[in-house]
Amino acid sequence: MKTLISLWGRTMAFFCLYVAILTVHYFHTHNAKLNCSRSLLGPKPFFVVKKLVIVGLLVFFTQLTVAQGLIGLVDRQNTAGTTTAEGFGISAVGLSRGAGITQETLSGNYNSRGFVDTSLTNAKTNDDYLQFSLEVNTGSVLDLNEMKIRLDRSPSGPRKFQLEYSLNAFNSSSVSLNSDSIRVSGSTHTINLTGISMLSAGAVITFRIYAWGATASNGTLDVEGLSSPYTANGWTPSISSPGIAFKGCTLPVNPTSISNGTLTSGSTSITWNNPSCFSTIIVIGSTSAITTAPAAGVDPSAWSASADWSNPVSVYSQMGSGSATEYVLYRGSGTSVTLTNLPTSGTFFYKVYTAFSSWSSGATGSMALPVSLISFTATPSNTTIELHWRTASEQNNNYFEVQKSTDGILFSSVGQVSGQGTTNELSTYTYIDEVIFPIAYYQLKQVDYDGVFSLSKIIKVMQLPAFFTVQHTALQCNVNSLSEYPTHYVLTNTNGSVLASGSFQDEMVIHKYLYPNGLYFVKLSSNGRTQTVRWAKVE
């Protein structure tokens, strides 16, 4: 989607600002209370070294949104050859004539005659056209918004014209943009170009004005002068009275002045400078190096994004490919994004990209961490899992919550260990988990006194090979022993209440209909080995 901030829009914006200032002044002088609310966003994800290094590898963008302006001019001097032209981020080629028409020398404007064909088809067959083109320079992309051209004819000149464009120099195809009448008194034609896709470096777009319907062979068509129709942003044109003017945006490959703020309560801002108009920017983040590299055909204009790291939107869910652990943090047209609930240690990577290029050069930054976790390990035994972690320093650390998962995705709390508050000393922690699964995942949730928290890396623990297998159906849970010794079992609920116990040699069946909805644990023991099976009943 392309957005336009026009002169009218800016005027209205300043007007609204002026009204707002008057309104605030009125309320202030009448002792009115203006309440401003501010969202306090608490952060998550977390820590592993003393500094969080935020690495930005910047690439670019897709669709035009702001600061569109004059990007190209075509002169109208009357010459038998090609007129001069100029542009910003583009190389413009001026007006030239098709083989079916010739220069009329009796005018100072770009004047031509020979448009005696009676239809558009005949005009195309006989090459009765005016032509000009734009090429996108290296380091830019081109998003066209609008074109203005002023046409005039003599009384016997061509009555009709059609403007078309081609991306292959009219070798095989073209697209119609506008068809209109040509007036003797002259008129300025404004042509909407927003239907033309954004063009990458090296692309050439060629325009042709086909004209027909002249009543005499000496009937002429003039390209007349325009007053300054658009504002030039970032360059100074030299053509003072052009015949054709283009409005749009040429985008540099790289934004400039990339920086990030200080990490405060898990939040920081990434900012960049828009050297010209800017596109829809996509920021992707991860706790490991970014691997996502969308192909040129990937359109992110409808992607969702979340700057809240605790509620991420994966690249895979938006693109249908790529990593499920890399997330879309931002999609928009601004100059900054504020990220919340960020990891507070390790390396956090992000990329800003566009569908027109591979990754470009980037910028780096670093910041101090509130808690410096230097190790987090797990040691399995026959009946327990011992978790150990160490911190080099802590600041405002209330406690650690130990979280566990059987799939590495959904975690629940299994215990809590008090922190050291604020200290620069080495601290060592231990937690023993007595509920054993063949495979388990653990992470630490570090919580400050103000409630702000962050998450550690996830570690995976594989216990000894199970001496049983479990099969679930909607009605029952079947436990099959792989041990040559008897297997003893104890069935409990989340409160620890014993619901059933006994032993079996080969198979045990738990009939789920006997129990209400909830979470249950079956502790199995055989020949000195103990493991626990968890199952849930949900209807």
Side-chain angles (χ1 to χ4, degrees), residues 34 85 137 181 204 241 270-271 280 291 299 309 355 422 443 445:
L34 300 177
N137 292 346
S181 298
V204 178
S241 182
I270 301 170
T271 61
T280 298
T291 60
D299 179 9
W309 189 254
T422 298
Q443 70 178 0
K445 177 180 178 181

Side-chain angles (χ1 to χ4, degrees), residues 242-320:
I244 303 170
F246 288 94
K247 181 181 183 181
C249 192
T250 54
L251 305 174
V253 171
N254 285 323
T256 58
S257 303
I258 310 301
S259 65
N260 60 266
T262 302
L263 182 67
T264 304
S265 298
S267 176
T268 190
S269 294
I270 301 170
T271 61
W272 53 88
N273 179 51
N274 293 352
S276 180
C277 20
F278 223 17
S279 65
T280 298
I281 298 167
I282 306 294
V283 180
I284 292 178
S286 179
T287 54
S288 57
I290 303 294
T291 60
T292 297
V298 175
D299 179 9
S301 60
W303 282 14
S304 298
S306 173
D308 182 354
W309 189 254
S310 67
N311 185 31
V313 176
S314 72
V315 170
Y316 185 87
S317 70
Q318 302 301 297
M319 195 165 64

Side-chain angles (χ1 to χ4, degrees), residues 278-495:
F278 223 17
S279 65
T280 298
I281 298 167
I282 306 294
V283 180
I284 292 178
S286 179
T287 54
S288 57
I290 303 294
T291 60
T292 297
V298 175
D299 179 9
S301 60
W303 282 14
S304 298
S306 173
D308 182 354
W309 189 254
S310 67
N311 185 31
V313 176
S314 72
V315 170
Y316 185 87
S317 70
Q318 302 301 297
M319 195 165 64
S321 61
S323 174
T325 59
E326 297 176 7
Y327 304 99
V328 184
L329 304 177
Y330 178 80
R331 181 184 68 82
S333 59
T335 58
S336 67
V337 58
T338 298
L339 307 179
T340 59
N341 294 332
L342 282 172
T344 56
S345 72
T347 303
F348 185 80
F349 298 86
Y350 63 85
K351 283 186 179 180
V352 182
Y353 75 97
T354 158
F356 289 100
S357 175
S358 58
W359 305 123
S360 67
S361 58
T364 62
S366 64
M367 60 194 73
L369 300 176
V371 173
S372 176
L373 184 72
I374 57 177
S375 66
F376 177 36
T377 61
T379 303
S381 66
N382 286 336
T383 58
T384 63
I385 299 291
E386 292 186 6
L387 302 177
H388 302 278
W389 64 98
R390 303 171 72 195
T391 62
S393 61
E394 300 177 20
Q395 182 179 352
N396 197 36
N397 181 22
N398 189 3
Y399 62 88
F400 295 95
E401 180 181 286
V402 180
Q403 297 186 342
K404 183 178 181 181
S405 170
T406 57
D407 57 10
I409 300 174
L410 300 176
F411 285 84
S412 59
S413 175
V414 294
Q416 181 174 306
V417 179
S418 296
Q420 298 296 322
T422 298
T423 178
N424 291 320
E425 302 295 326
L426 184 70
S427 301
T428 302
Y429 299 88
T430 299
Y431 178 83
I432 298 177
D433 185 11
E434 297 180 347
V435 178
I436 306 302
F437 302 116
I439 300 177
Y441 302 83
Y442 294 92
Q443 70 178 0
L444 299 174
K445 177 180 178 181
Q446 181 269 319
V447 183
D448 291 343
Y449 288 112
D450 58 6
V452 175
F453 63 89
S454 53
L455 300 176
S456 74
K457 69 176 183 178
I458 297 172
I459 59 174
K460 179 180 178 180
V461 180
M462 299 186 66
Q463 184 60 287
L464 293 173
F467 54 87
F468 57 87
T469 61
V470 180
Q471 292 180 325
H472 288 281
T473 68
L475 299 178
Q476 60 191 36
C477 174
N478 299 319
V479 181
N480 295 283
S481 175
L482 302 178
S483 174
E484 58 183 298
Y485 301 97
T487 299
H488 302 278
Y489 70 91
V490 177
L491 174 64
T492 61
N493 58 19
T494 54
N495 296 324

Side-chain angles (χ1 to χ4, degrees), residues 20 37 60 118 121 158 171 207 212 311 320 333 342 370 391 515:
S37 60
F60 39 111
T118 58
T121 300
N171 288 326
F207 298 88
W212 66 95
N311 185 31
S333 59
L342 282 172
T391 62
Y515 304 97

Side-chain angles (χ1 to χ4, degrees), residues 502-518:
S503 62
F504 62 96
Q505 185 64 46
D506 298 315
E507 182 182 23
M508 176 187 67
V509 178
I510 300 174
H511 297 284
K512 295 182 179 180
Y513 68 85
L514 296 175
Y515 304 97
N517 289 348

